[in-house]
Amino acid sequence: MTETNVTWLTQEAHDRLQAELAHLSGEGRDEIIDRIARARDEGDLKENGGYHAAREEQAKNEARIKELTAKLRTVRIGSPEDDGVVEPGMVVTALVGGDEMVFLLGSREIADTADIDVYSERSPLGAAIHGKKVGEKASYTAPNGKQIDVEVINAKPYEG
């Protein structure tokens, strides 16, 4: 497993994803199977909207189960080393296009529980500064095509 395949999560986010996976794999899956069976009993499947909706929901459920299983297989929980290097799990203070920003570099899965903006290490900004040290500069191309300069001012482990 390479470092770029690792998903950094807080313990709270990890527990939430584990619970979601357990629900989707158990009770959630069973509910969808029951809906498919009830809709199938209604007859003609070609014009059965309930059947098609349940099958679509089943596909989405299975995709989320697959996504969560893969993510949880490569998860790292806890704080990274306090070495001033920008990596997932670090609260970063940076000058971005001349404006100071403070954000957490990490998975979108923790955005719901964090009280700070979260940027993925795979986003243009995150990718530009990942591995940089305090004082180092980088740049990235914004979605609008504009080149944006970034300077890392501080990087400290997230303490939740």
Side-chain angles (χ1 to χ4, degrees):
M1 168 170 49
T2 64
E3 187 66 23
T4 56
N5 292 334
V6 173
T7 301
W8 177 83
L9 294 175
T10 62
Q11 185 65 55
E12 181 182 10
H14 179 264
D15 294 346
R16 183 176 45 80
L17 293 181
Q18 286 281 38
E20 180 184 356
L21 178 59
H23 172 76
L24 293 176
S25 300
E27 183 182 315
R29 185 180 268 161
D30 292 343
E31 289 172 3
I32 295 169
I33 290 170
D34 288 344
R35 279 201 298 278
I36 290 171
R38 284 194 310 273
R40 189 177 285 136
D41 290 343
E42 293 174 8
D44 186 10
L45 298 181
K46 289 181 185 175
E47 297 181 18
N48 188 328
Y51 173 79
H52 294 291
R55 290 296 302 221
E56 186 175 318
E57 185 179 354
Q58 182 182 41
K60 289 178 183 178
N61 189 66
E62 294 303 316
R64 181 65 176 162
I65 289 170
K66 185 177 179 180
E67 176 188 10
L68 288 172
T69 301
K71 189 166 287 190
L72 289 169
R73 189 179 309 123
T74 60
V75 73
R76 187 176 83 201
I77 300 169
S79 297
E81 188 176 335
D82 189 1
D83 56 5
V85 176
V86 176
E87 61 183 307
M90 298 294 272
V91 174
V92 179
T93 304
L95 284 177
V96 181
D99 295 326
E100 186 174 297
M101 291 177 60
V102 178
F103 57 91
L104 173 61
L105 192 66
S107 170
R108 68 179 176 86
E109 299 293 351
I110 61 176
D112 292 341
T113 58
D115 57 352
I116 186 172
D117 289 335
V118 179
Y119 285 84
S120 166
E121 66 271 18
R122 293 177 185 94
S123 69
L125 172 58
I129 63 172
H130 188 248
K132 299 289 187 218
K133 295 178 182 165
V134 171
E136 290 188 330
K137 296 179 181 181
S139 65
Y140 68 95
T141 304
N144 65 4
K146 184 178 176 185
Q147 196 69 16
I148 299 178
D149 294 324
V150 182
E151 180 180 355
V152 178
I153 297 171
N154 198 358
K156 293 199 178 278
Y158 178 71
E159 296 179 7

